[in-house]
Amino acid sequence: MLEAPLRDLLATQIAILEDGLEVIEIEQYLPSTIGTRSFIDILARDKRGRWVLIELKRSDAAARDAIHEIHKYVEAVKSHLGARDDEIRTLVVSTDWKELLVPFSRFFHDTPISILGVKLTVDDAGGVLSAENVEPLPFNAGRVLSPWHEISLYSSHERLLEGIASYDFSCNAKGIKDYIMLEMVAPDGFYDRAVWALVHNLNVNREQPNPPSEADLNKARDELERLEHMIYFVPQLQTAEEYLDMMSASPDLYEEAQGFFEQMEGDELLNSLQGYAFDADPRVDRDHFEIGYPAKFKGTLLEDEKWSIKHVHRRGAFARNTVLTDDTILGEIAGEAGTSGQGLKRSILLSDRAELSQLIKDLGEALPNNPVWESSLKAQLQEAKEEFPDCSADISVFAPSTGIITLLFATSKDDGVLYVPSYSLVVRNGDAISRIYVGELSGSDNDARSPSTFLDIINKYYGGDIGLLTMSMTWGGYEARDIDILDDLGLIYSSFRCDFSGDNRQIMRMVNGRWKAANNTAPLAAFNGYLERNSDLIRTIYYKLAPRTGPICDGSSADKMLAELVDDENVARGKYYEGGPEQCDLCLIPLDHETYASDGRVDGKAAWANMCADCTVYHGAGIAWGTGQLYRKEPDGRWLQVAGGPPPGEGEDSL
């Protein structure tokens, strides 16, 4: 059947495409002020009153022109009928989709217009039609590195080479074609520092004295294998179905992973499926395994521990792409492409639609938990494009989404400024700067939050268990509720801009959707002001969290550790802390909700202090006569001495 008779037949059976469609005109003529005139095969209206443009193609060869026709028709309808994008729908109908499927799929993913593909079948008699919807091909986003990485450690370079071979074998068997392997080596002295850190943290957990003794260090050296060679593995991100297919050689894993689809969605689903897929047979040969992620790669391995990259092994598309530099790869592994959900770094031409469109898309990936900065940056990019169309833009975003951990790192690390969320959008005209947009963390008001705010955060977001917070450090402290936690701490994500005109500078801030002139400021000024006003809260955060974070993240319960020290003979004496302590002298939190407290010497100092349970464990010199007394709050509210009293026969202590 030729195309015209098929079109007329379809018009008489229009309901096979969709219930409620009403044919308005066959071969609808539309004048066009740009280009050629347009004839729409069938112009219809759906039951919601929207225009429906139906483009019919009978042959496969003609189908290849269909997408070009759709573009032309949509613009003509918008011009001639004054319709908006949301008032127009398009249906591409064809009897053969072999040539049409790829361009249709690209158009489906790129256009804001509602579009549907339909495969038409004509019965043998040529009088009855049937239709089925066409599923567009998955959108190929090009290079998208997975934000979930693998760290494989080896005892020697020879073992590392065996690991590389096993990665290639495992990936080939599972159909993983595109991936990166970074060959890395530890710095001199790394092993000895790792041994010291391990023993130090074990001593803290066991309430043993520090610094570590040489005997303890030698014992640890005998037990801890020297692993100074690493493969840092980063694959191309796959779909959920592709990850599931990789598990076909491991039936038990495959069956278990199928249940994930009912329990999870989004990134949680992909993360779990990737972990199972890479754990399926054939497995990678390694001496030790750890998880990796962008913040760990950049912050821990490269900056803190000083691992060096000896070689970048590329496979698949990464090897074929000779334009792709190692520096670009390493930047994307560190999260600069936005896929980590924590940062992005890019330079674009504002006049380049493709670059600008990709950047705007990637901002959504880089700021999944920060709608404030995402919307601000998108608006600022659009503003810069309109005002400086011939300029370039350099953007750098750091939004780690680490909640209260942000305050700990910003105030306790030597390079704490690097842990403060920020962004910069620099608009350049050649070498000259025309404007800078700056994102900063600032106080929501001028009030100071009390130390008890820390306890409120732990109770509200972590069920009262500080261990749940500290254990989040095993994955970099990432916190999806970051913006809510910061709000409770009195912090907001804000921004300002600075316009340059010769030697003149003008600072402006957004107020009620408009830029208003503001006083001169500098990056971090607002954040530093918050820290000064909230010095007591910052002290609380430091004393509570600093000793729990490090090479080993300690999620232990201080109450449980102190409960093991309770001495029945001390309890039987019935000695109370008259008056009782009201707050911890170190972290400043009120003690009214604490179970245990102590009056003891501060570790490494001559001074004594009233301490909460956490500070007793992590900052106290210990519980013993002459060192510190432990008290437990009784039902009547008084503090009973339960450990640290005088030895039997040595007399009664006076309190």
Side-chain angles (χ1 to χ4, degrees):
M1 183 179 296
L2 298 176
E3 188 169 303
L6 182 62
R7 177 202 61 211
D8 296 341
L9 180 62
L10 177 61
T12 65
Q13 302 178 37
I14 198 70
I16 69 168
L17 299 180
E18 181 181 294
D19 289 339
L21 280 182
E22 174 191 359
V23 175
I24 302 300
E25 188 68 55
I26 299 175
E27 278 288 285
Q28 171 69 50
Y29 166 74
L30 288 175
S32 177
T33 57
I34 302 176
T36 59
R37 294 169 294 177
S38 302
F39 289 89
I40 302 173
D41 287 333
I42 299 175
L43 179 64
R45 185 182 292 117
D46 68 13
K47 55 187 177 184
R48 292 180 57 193
R50 293 176 296 179
W51 296 108
V52 181
L53 285 55
I54 302 173
E55 176 67 9
L56 177 65
K57 295 300 176 186
R58 178 68 180 88
S59 67
D60 195 38
R64 286 174 289 183
D65 298 327
I67 298 303
H68 173 72
E69 297 294 315
I70 289 294
H71 277 289
K72 184 174 66 173
Y73 297 160
V74 167
E75 292 306 313
V77 168
K78 289 164 65 176
S79 173
H80 185 61
L81 300 179
R84 302 192 308 261
D85 283 348
D86 62 337
E87 297 172 335
I88 303 171
R89 297 176 56 208
T90 58
L91 270 62
V92 180
V93 181
S94 181
T95 55
D96 194 330
W97 276 82
K98 286 187 297 184
E99 292 291 331
L100 181 57
L101 185 57
V102 171
F104 166 78
S105 300
R106 168 55 66 178
F107 185 65
F108 175 88
H109 289 293
D110 287 348
T111 183
I113 299 294
S114 173
I115 183 170
L116 180 68
V118 179
K119 183 177 181 180
L120 203 61
T121 302
V122 185
D123 73 348
D124 294 337
V128 179
L129 301 174
S130 61
E132 60 177 320
N133 291 346
V134 173
E135 186 73 21
L137 295 171
F139 175 64
N140 188 336
R143 183 176 69 254
V144 181
L145 295 180
S146 170
W148 310 296
H149 310 157
E150 288 190 350
I151 297 174
S152 295
L153 293 165
Y154 299 91
S155 59
S156 66
H157 184 254
E158 289 71 23
R159 285 286 297 132
L160 178 138
L161 295 178
E162 293 173 359
I164 291 175
S166 74
Y167 260 115
D168 285 335
F169 179 79
S170 176
C171 289
N172 182 64
K174 297 171 185 175
I176 304 171
K177 299 177 180 178
D178 308 319
Y179 53 96
I180 300 292
M181 292 181 289
L182 303 181
E183 182 180 331
M184 303 178 67
V185 64
D188 293 339
F190 172 78
Y191 176 75
D192 289 335
R193 289 193 295 273
V195 169
W196 191 94
L198 174 62
V199 177
H200 180 275
N201 283 279
L202 289 175
N203 285 348
V204 170
N205 293 339
R206 298 168 180 169
E207 292 196 300
Q208 299 296 318
N210 271 317
S213 67
E214 193 60 34
D216 288 341
L217 293 174
N218 287 333
K219 182 180 178 181
R221 292 187 186 100
D222 292 338
E223 298 174 356
L224 186 64
E225 188 175 10
R226 185 182 291 269
L227 301 172
E228 298 180 313
H229 300 269
M230 177 193 299
I231 296 174
Y232 197 91
F233 175 79
V234 185
Q236 171 84 350
L237 189 64
Q238 307 291 318
T239 66
E241 292 73 18
E242 288 169 332
Y243 284 131
L244 201 60
D245 289 343
M246 296 177 195
M247 304 177 212
S248 57
S250 301
D252 291 342
L253 285 180
Y254 182 88
E255 183 177 354
E256 186 175 350
Q258 283 183 311
F260 293 167
F261 287 85
E262 298 179 359
Q263 306 165 12
M264 310 172 190
E265 60 183 14
D267 284 350
E268 182 184 13
L269 174 63
L270 288 180
N271 185 9
S272 298
L273 289 174
Q274 178 179 296
Y276 269 55
F278 289 132
D279 197 43
D281 294 328
R283 303 178 71 180
V284 172
D285 180 20
R286 53 171 71 99
D287 295 332
H288 180 72
F289 170 77
E290 295 180 13
I291 61 171
Y293 44 85
K296 185 173 184 177
F297 171 70
K298 181 181 180 182
T300 302
L301 298 181
L302 296 184
E303 296 177 357
D304 293 345
E305 298 181 358
K306 308 299 183 185
W307 286 74
S308 58
I309 300 169
K310 295 301 181 182
H311 189 72
V312 179
H313 297 269
R314 309 183 187 202
R315 300 293 186 264
F318 300 116
R320 295 190 295 271
N321 189 347
T322 57
V323 176
L324 181 63
T325 67
D326 286 351
D327 285 344
T328 299
I329 290 175
L330 296 177
E332 293 184 4
I333 292 174
E336 292 178 0
T339 55
S340 68
Q342 295 181 300
L344 180 148
K345 195 172 185 179
R346 191 80 51 82
S347 295
I348 68 165
L349 294 175
L350 291 171
S351 59
D352 191 310
R353 292 180 57 191
E355 289 185 350
L356 183 59
S357 175
Q358 185 66 46
L359 175 56
I360 289 175
K361 174 180 177 297
D362 290 344
L363 280 172
E365 296 285 338
L367 298 165
N369 306 314
N370 195 330
V372 176
W373 275 3
E374 180 186 357
S375 60
S376 294
L377 276 166
K378 287 180 178 179
Q380 289 161 11
L381 280 166
Q382 186 62 37
E383 181 180 79
K385 177 189 174 184
E386 293 173 358
E387 296 186 32
F388 309 100
D390 298 323
C391 289
S392 63
D394 301 327
I395 185 171
S396 178
V397 180
F398 176 64
S401 293
T402 47
I404 199 168
I405 298 292
T406 298
L407 292 177
L408 172 67
F409 286 175
T411 55
S412 64
K413 289 186 174 290
D414 292 338
D415 54 353
V417 64
L418 300 179
Y419 293 87
V420 182
S422 64
Y423 75 73
S424 64
L425 173 59
V426 183
V427 181
R428 300 180 186 275
N429 186 356
D431 294 331
I433 297 177
S434 300
R435 176 177 294 169
I436 297 179
Y437 298 92
V438 177
E440 62 179 356
L441 202 57
S442 60
S444 56
D445 51 49
N446 292 321
D447 297 336
R449 269 60 181 177
S450 70
S452 61
T453 302
F454 176 84
L455 300 179
D456 295 338
I457 296 292
I458 298 300
N459 291 330
K460 181 176 180 179
Y461 296 98
Y462 303 99
D465 186 354
I466 194 173
L468 294 179
L469 168 60
T470 56
M471 291 307 292
S472 72
M473 289 306 302
T474 60
W475 56 84
Y478 186 80
E479 174 56 78
R481 301 164 296 183
D482 167 76
I483 199 167
D484 298 314
I485 293 173
L486 293 182
D487 184 54
D488 288 349
L489 289 166
L491 285 163
I492 58 173
Y493 288 104
S494 61
S495 62
F496 65 90
R497 90 182 198 197
C498 179
D499 291 339
F500 293 77
S501 178
D503 294 331
N504 297 323
R505 309 284 188 270
Q506 183 178 16
I507 302 294
M508 306 187 79
R509 287 189 178 276
M510 184 67 71
V511 179
N512 295 327
R514 294 180 296 172
W515 290 110
K516 295 287 188 179
N519 295 329
N520 286 340
T521 187
L524 296 177
F527 181 66
N528 288 333
Y530 171 88
L531 296 180
E532 292 175 4
R533 292 192 302 274
N534 292 273
S535 57
D536 285 352
L537 174 59
I538 301 305
R539 175 172 173 161
T540 302
I541 292 171
Y542 175 79
Y543 273 98
K544 287 288 191 180
L545 297 180
R548 290 177 172 270
T549 58
I552 297 178
C553 296
D554 184 2
S556 305
S557 166
D559 279 353
K560 290 182 179 179
M561 296 168 69
L562 294 177
E564 295 178 358
L565 302 180
V566 174
D567 176 22
D568 291 340
E569 291 188 7
N570 259 260
V571 173
R573 290 193 183 105
K575 295 296 181 180
Y576 290 89
Y577 194 138
E578 296 301 334
E582 295 184 357
Q583 71 173 28
C584 176
D585 293 333
L586 299 186
C587 73
L588 306 180
I589 68 160
L591 298 176
D592 48 351
H593 295 297
E594 290 282 300
T595 301
Y596 292 97
S598 70
D599 177 20
R601 184 165 55 84
V602 179
D603 190 28
K605 299 181 180 179
W608 281 54
N610 291 320
M611 292 177 277
C612 66
D614 282 330
C615 289
T616 298
V617 170
Y618 295 101
H619 301 287
I623 299 298
W625 180 241
T627 303
Q629 284 73 56
L630 180 65
Y631 298 91
R632 182 179 66 200
K633 179 172 281 189
E634 298 299 284
D636 61 4
R638 294 195 296 166
W639 290 95
L640 174 66
Q641 186 187 96
V642 295
E650 195 168 313
E652 298 292 338
D653 54 312
S654 59
L655 301 177

